Amino acid sequence: MFKLPNLAVAAAAIVLAGAVQAGPLGIGSTATPEMIAGWDIDIRPDGMGLPPGRGSVAEGEPLYEAKCASCHGLFGEGEGRWPILAGGEGTLDTLHPEKTVGSYWPYASTLWDYIHRAMPYPAPQSLTDDETYAISAYVLYLNDIVDDDFVADRESFAAVKMPNEPNFYIDNRPDVQNTRCMENCADPANFTIVTTINGVTPTGHFKEDSGVAANHYGDSEPAVKAVEVAMSDAATAGKSVYDKACQACHGMGVAGAPKVGDASAWVDRIQTGMASMSSNAINGYQGPNGVMPAKGGNMSLSDEEVSMA
Amino acid sequence: MTKLYEPSLPKLMEAIATEAKGMRGMDRRNFLKGGIAAVAGLSSVQMIPKANASANLPPNLPEWQSYLGRGVVAKPYGDPSEFEDLQRRTVPWLTADAASSISMTPLQDLEGIITPSGVVFERYHGGIPNVNPDQHRLIIHGLVERPLVLTMDDLRRFPSVSQIRFIECPANGGMEWRGAQMEALQFTHGMLSCCEWTGVKLSTLLEEVGVKPEGKWILAEGADAAGMSRSIPLEKALDDTIIAWGQNGEALRPEQGYPLRMLNPGWEGNTSVKWLRRLEIGDQPWHHREETSKYTDLMPDGRSRRFTYEQECNSVVTSPCPEKPLMQRGFVEIRGLAWSGRGKIKAVDVSLDGGVNWQRTELGELVIPKALTQFSLKTQWNGEPWLLQSRAIDETGYVQPTLKQLRDERGGWSIYHKNSIHTWNVTESGEVFNVQIT
């Protein structure tokens, strides 16, 4: 049977909230300043939301290399298909526009906000405010927007101007006007019929031939699947850690990270012994194939959780 | 007849595709033609496992009628027949990682205007969070008289509405800006779904918190790993935005934002923030990553449009389509879907000759603002090639544009908001190909 919560207590809470002055329906509780402070993470172009703290380009460099470069490249050039963060100036009106932080983004505040809320990709909201200042400064430096002696804090960061800011304008659609013509609306003599490029529609669905290199779609079978089959019961405890923090790099063989199930890449490493591998995973290291961030970039995992993954 | 072999059609197509894999050029064309022509004959064999197919056909007693079937609650939450093959599909080369990717709705296999919850297209920027609804909260704060924190139970106490509305990713069709690419309706138009959504109007919640006069914009933020955030103008919020917990008669699916999402009817899907945890009222927009780096439209002069919220009037023929070729000569009902982010669909026309001549179609019974609307044209096909197109007109009088009109204005690099008239080339074999007329 469904039991109602103690209504008397609920009613008391409403009376209290009522004292603060209730809305028309009197539903909900007051959001306290402490609750709001924990969640209110947004930054605006006018600097609203930027917290106290500081970080320099010089401090940002090692942080970026440890936590970001494995996906975005040492110079922001992007590894594999991971996003490019730098370059592309002067390309926006060409046939090959390259939209990056430097060439496209209108506001520097967006960079702070986004890195802090969503990066590093496998461990969002794990960076401190100082780290976010330092890494944001470094990404701006990679884009030649600040000099190498730049120190970011609330004031200096809010003052950064981005070169592409003037080139955005409010939606002005509808911008085209078709008419409802019913007869003889076009001259078929002028038609050029363009068909599809062979080989870009994914296979396993229905018809397709293999017009382009297999890696365009052949690698779609996620390596993670192989893990599910191959893993022992004892290892499944580590699976959820893996899914959360490690799979982003190890699931796809990104930036030199050995793929789970990619036997040849793991053999050498397994031979160095599980203990050393696991200490590498915990502390982070620069191997021959790339940078493995400490705990996969997710500082909130306990050491035991990492060893099980 | 048609009904009988439809269930196994996708499997056959797959078999044909596997066979055709190594072939190129004319070989491939011929094989596919032959393969598809053979579908009707093969399929009945495929459909009934083990037994001789004709054993179930009249005048015989079908096998499944000869013993008792499954009883009640054998499946407390049912699923589709095992003969169905309804699935979302993705284009793996588009993105680097499945947690920041997209999958498409199988429009070619759907009936009516409602998208079943299990095949609503997916778009995540940081995967699907596994939100416990008892521990989920919506905080509304900023330029308000009474900052509130609401539980799911609190939200359900508000007056509620249920509305059928489409959601479309503004990148729907975006792969086709510079040329025809995708040989499948699912991939050319499948970032589109339509459901019945239940929730509270955002305007009701805003009355409850009391927006201060300086309040002009709302930041909506998700509880996912991407912390998805978008700036929504107050006018939209007061007009028709809903904060939804229900979808097609049950709780939202995790893929669609369980337990709570924003829904901005008719606007680009990304603004309908999922796993909604926070609304902040401010006096100006935030210009976050998804409204600067992404979801802005680059024009040929190198400048960009921002806040391109509306999904303009669009339509597509869903049958025939590359996945649903014409199987028989004679009578055919051309079917399709039309939608507009600005309101109701007023009319849809169909052309068989690439837009030279047009015929009016009949709309489905349900014509709902900002929802998918069916259209149908009953005609004959006798093996002549078609350049099949549809053109929708909405209640504002806007006529769906041609691809050339869009390209002349916007070039080929804007990624988003490609709502041009689409062309299927129906060949004499009944096969259907995606083409563009330039």
Side-chain angles (χ1 to χ4, degrees):
Chain A
M1 256 270 263
F2 182 78
K3 267 192 92 194
L4 281 171
N6 189 333
L7 277 179
V9 174
I14 289 171
V15 171
L16 278 179
V20 185
Q21 103 221 99
L25 302 178
I27 299 175
S29 322
T30 301
T32 64
E34 300 77 65
M35 286 180 189
I36 295 171
W39 280 14
D40 184 4
I41 56 171
D42 52 86
I43 315 297
R44 257 182 5 190
D46 60 357
M48 190 189 85
L50 277 173
R54 62 177 290 291
S56 65
V57 169
E59 287 157 347
E61 178 170 2
L63 287 168
Y64 176 89
E65 286 175 2
K67 291 169 184 279
C68 324
S70 59
C71 292
H72 295 295
L74 276 178
F75 306 101
E77 75 280 15
E79 294 282 350
R81 283 177 293 149
W82 301 97
I84 297 166
L85 299 187
E89 289 80 10
T91 63
L92 297 182
D93 59 356
T94 69
L95 282 183
H96 297 284
E98 208 174 9
K99 297 193 274 186
T100 73
V101 172
S103 71
Y104 196 67
W105 290 33
Y107 303 105
S109 60
T110 311
L111 187 63
W112 204 104
D113 177 273
Y114 183 70
I115 291 175
H116 181 253
R117 78 169 55 237
M119 290 292 136
Y121 182 58
Q125 298 199 38
S126 64
L127 299 175
T128 65
D129 292 344
D130 285 352
E131 286 174 330
T132 310
Y133 274 116
I135 295 174
S136 303
Y138 189 67
V139 174
L140 291 176
Y141 166 73
L142 287 177
N143 280 288
D144 297 324
I145 288 167
V146 299
D147 292 328
D148 57 3
D149 58 359
F150 180 70
V151 181
D153 61 20
R154 207 171 355 191
E155 282 68 41
S156 69
F157 201 82
V160 173
K161 285 273 168 237
M162 302 294 272
N164 199 40
E165 178 185 343
N167 294 323
F168 284 83
Y169 57 98
I170 297 278
D171 187 11
N172 58 347
R173 294 173 305 157
D175 52 352
V176 292
Q177 219 189 353
N178 199 3
T179 50
R180 196 180 177 193
C181 167
M182 299 304 287
E183 271 167 33
N184 294 317
C185 308
D187 181 359
N190 298 333
F191 282 180
T192 310
I193 313 262
V194 181
T195 57
T196 57
I197 311 150
N198 258 357
V200 294
T201 311
T203 53
H205 171 23
F206 74 133
K207 61 192 154 79
E208 193 39 57
D209 80 16
S210 42
V212 289
N215 65 2
H216 270 208
Y217 49 79
D219 60 359
S220 65
E221 217 32 64
V224 191
K225 269 235 177 87
V227 187
E228 274 160 11
V229 183
M231 271 193 336
S232 69
D233 283 352
T236 47
K239 170 97 170 41
S240 75
V241 176
Y242 171 82
D243 281 350
K244 285 199 198 104
C246 324
Q247 179 256 8
C249 296
H250 289 282
M252 308 196 62
V254 69
K259 244 196 265 184
V260 183
D262 174 353
S264 65
W266 282 105
V267 168
D268 283 357
R269 290 174 167 78
I270 289 167
Q271 275 160 5
T272 68
M274 201 58 205
S276 118
M277 274 185 26
S278 163
S279 90
N280 279 341
I282 291 163
N283 300 320
Y285 88 129
Q286 161 79 65
N289 302 324
V291 181
M292 162 70 193
K295 293 185 188 172
N298 188 344
M299 287 304 174
S300 61
L301 297 177
S302 75
D303 288 355
E304 295 87 282
E305 278 178 302
V306 174
S307 299
M308 279 189 293
Chain B
M1 254 327 264
T2 325
K3 266 275 165 281
L4 273 181
Y5 57 69
E6 248 171 20
S8 58
L9 190 56
K11 294 211 173 60
L12 266 155
M13 301 291 270
E14 206 174 307
I16 292 166
T18 315
E19 287 292 310
K21 234 178 199 167
M23 303 182 183
R24 308 193 58 89
M26 275 319 285
D27 274 359
R28 189 177 115 79
R29 273 274 155 114
N30 288 334
F31 176 81
L32 286 173
K33 265 191 207 167
I36 286 166
V39 159
L42 281 168
S43 55
S44 43
V45 182
Q46 287 268 322
M47 198 186 97
I48 297 120
K50 300 173 284 209
N52 167 6
S54 63
N56 288 317
L57 298 179
N60 300 327
L61 179 70
E63 183 244 3
W64 44 83
Q65 200 174 3
S66 61
Y67 52 83
L68 287 175
R70 235 178 22 220
V72 297
V73 293
K75 289 185 183 184
Y77 193 106
D79 38 43
S81 159
E82 64 178 271
F83 298 104
E84 291 301 312
D85 184 29
L86 196 61
Q87 46 177 292
R88 293 188 272 241
R89 294 182 176 88
T90 186
V91 178
W93 53 258
L94 270 183
T95 51
D97 184 37
S100 171
S101 194
I102 185 124
S103 74
M104 288 79 161
T105 291
L107 295 175
Q108 71 281 4
D109 295 324
L110 297 188
E111 315 286 352
I113 62 169
I114 299 289
T115 310
S117 300
V119 291
V120 169
F121 79 93
E122 303 165 281
R123 176 65 173 119
Y124 316 125
H125 290 259
I128 311 170
N130 190 18
V131 181
N132 178 336
D134 297 337
Q135 295 159 26
H136 184 71
R137 295 290 181 274
L138 174 65
I139 288 184
I140 312 180
H141 70 109
L143 298 174
V144 299
E145 303 295 344
R146 295 170 290 274
L148 280 185
V149 56
L150 299 164
T151 64
M152 290 306 299
D153 286 340
D154 290 337
L155 285 158
R156 285 200 183 81
R157 287 181 59 205
F158 284 97
S160 66
V161 292
S162 292
Q163 298 174 339
I164 297 175
R165 299 289 182 262
F166 75 80
I167 297 190
E168 183 182 23
C169 176
N172 201 15
M175 290 173 276
E176 311 264 308
W177 264 110
R178 272 164 289 132
Q181 281 213 78
M182 291 295 152
E183 226 32 283
L185 169 64
Q186 184 159 11
F187 299 128
T188 59
H189 289 80
M191 300 182 203
L192 170 71
S193 299
C194 183
C195 298
E196 185 196 62
W197 307 97
T198 298
V200 50
K201 291 197 74 176
L202 179 51
S203 57
T204 308
L205 295 181
L206 293 180
E207 271 171 45
E208 197 65 15
V209 294
V211 175
K212 292 185 175 164
E214 319 89 85
K216 293 283 176 283
W217 288 81
I218 300 180
L219 182 80
E221 181 180 87
D224 55 333
M228 178 52 61
S229 57
R230 287 294 305 250
S231 305
I232 310 296
L234 190 69
E235 303 89 81
K236 179 68 175 176
L238 295 177
D239 177 20
D240 62 356
T241 302
I242 65 176
I243 304 300
W245 54 79
Q247 174 185 7
N248 291 342
E250 61 180 344
L252 291 173
R253 288 292 172 90
E255 293 94 322
Q256 273 76 59
Y258 180 86
L260 193 68
R261 78 173 303 166
M262 177 175 258
L263 186 83
N264 287 305
W267 281 19
E268 57 184 20
N270 181 262
T271 64
S272 290
V273 174
K274 300 187 275 187
W275 314 288
L276 187 70
R277 71 163 198 174
R278 191 164 72 93
L279 295 170
E280 178 174 349
I281 289 67
D283 59 354
Q284 47 181 286
W286 276 258
H287 297 286
H288 276 182
R289 187 244 187 179
E290 312 298 331
E291 47 204 17
T292 54
S293 170
K294 307 294 167 194
Y295 306 105
T296 49
D297 307 37
L298 179 63
M299 295 294 122
D301 65 359
R303 302 196 312 139
S304 299
R305 292 176 181 160
R306 65 158 59 113
F307 302 135
T308 45
Y309 293 125
E310 274 169 341
Q311 292 297 105
E312 295 188 290
C313 184
N314 203 344
S315 70
V316 69
V317 170
T318 58
S319 178
C321 68
E323 298 98 316
K324 289 272 146 87
L326 288 178
M327 310 291 294
Q328 310 266 318
R329 295 184 179 205
F331 173 78
V332 48
E333 180 182 31
I334 295 169
R335 303 187 189 109
L337 294 168
W339 62 101
S340 168
R342 297 203 180 101
K344 287 185 187 171
I345 291 297
K346 192 168 80 186
V348 183
D349 305 320
V350 160
S351 170
L352 305 176
D353 56 13
V356 179
N357 299 297
W358 294 86
Q359 306 177 50
R360 290 164 209 273
T361 68
E362 222 175 285
L363 297 187
E365 181 178 302
L366 288 176
V367 180
I368 298 171
K370 306 177 187 182
L372 294 185
T373 302
Q374 292 176 291
F375 64 85
S376 129
L377 177 73
K378 299 172 184 72
T379 186
Q380 295 281 326
W381 175 70
N382 290 304
E384 69 278 15
W386 279 347
L387 289 171
L388 181 59
Q389 300 182 327
S390 66
R391 178 182 70 188
I393 296 113
D394 70 16
E395 63 180 337
T396 71
Y398 175 93
V399 182
Q400 186 183 353
T402 64
L403 181 58
K404 184 174 183 313
Q405 286 173 320
L406 276 195
R407 282 214 189 109
D408 286 351
E409 182 66 26
R410 306 187 196 163
W413 292 98
S414 56
I415 302 173
Y416 306 107
H417 301 294
K418 184 184 158 297
N419 65 321
S420 54
I421 291 170
H422 193 77
T423 312
W424 296 132
N425 177 17
V426 180
T427 63
E428 58 204 35
S429 67
E431 279 176 284
V432 180
F433 294 94
N434 176 18
V435 299
Q436 294 185 347
I437 300 178
T438 58

